[in-house]
Amino acid sequence: MLYYCIIGAVIALWLTGIVCRHIRGRRKMIRVIEDNCTGCTKCLKICRRNVLEAVKDENGTHIAVKNPYNCTACSNCVKACKFKALELYSLRNRKDD
Ligand code: SF4
Ligand code: SF4
């Protein structure tokens, strides 16, 4: 019986995490402040959702948002970026941006 309770609790926590990430991702979105990006690609290695991509052009390498709707707004990439080149913005204030 205890075994089933533990399994049930683990599954409930796992599902709660999925729902929370989904809700958070619908409220916020990641964007790149291109002038600050050095192209170090540290954020690419941090993000596990395939949201970001490295783009090469005449100005060198910089980061672009490839799959914005995959973003769960976890902010791991924002914390990893030492150049303040990434930020999460609220989708509710989109008209004010
Ligand atoms: S970690 Fe920051 S500076 Fe480095 S590539 Fe990502 S956005 Fe650009
Ligand atoms: S906030 Fe999280 S999911 Fe979104 S791009 Fe950054 S690391 Fe990826």
Side-chain angles (χ1 to χ4, degrees), residues 11-34:
I11 291 172
L13 283 172
W14 178 66
L15 290 174
T16 302
I18 289 174
V19 170
C20 288
R21 280 194 296 276
H22 181 73
I23 292 170
R24 194 175 57 207
R26 290 179 68 91
R27 289 182 178 165
K28 289 187 174 181
M29 189 77 75
I30 195 75
R31 72 177 158 205
V32 182
I33 303 165
E34 284 191 22

Side-chain angles (χ1 to χ4, degrees), residues 30 46-49 51-52 70-78 88:
I30 195 75
I46 294 283
C47 181
R48 292 186 286 173
R49 305 279 302 179
V51 175
L52 306 169
N70 284 1
C71 181
T72 60
C74 68
S75 81
N76 289 342
C77 60
V78 177
L88 287 165

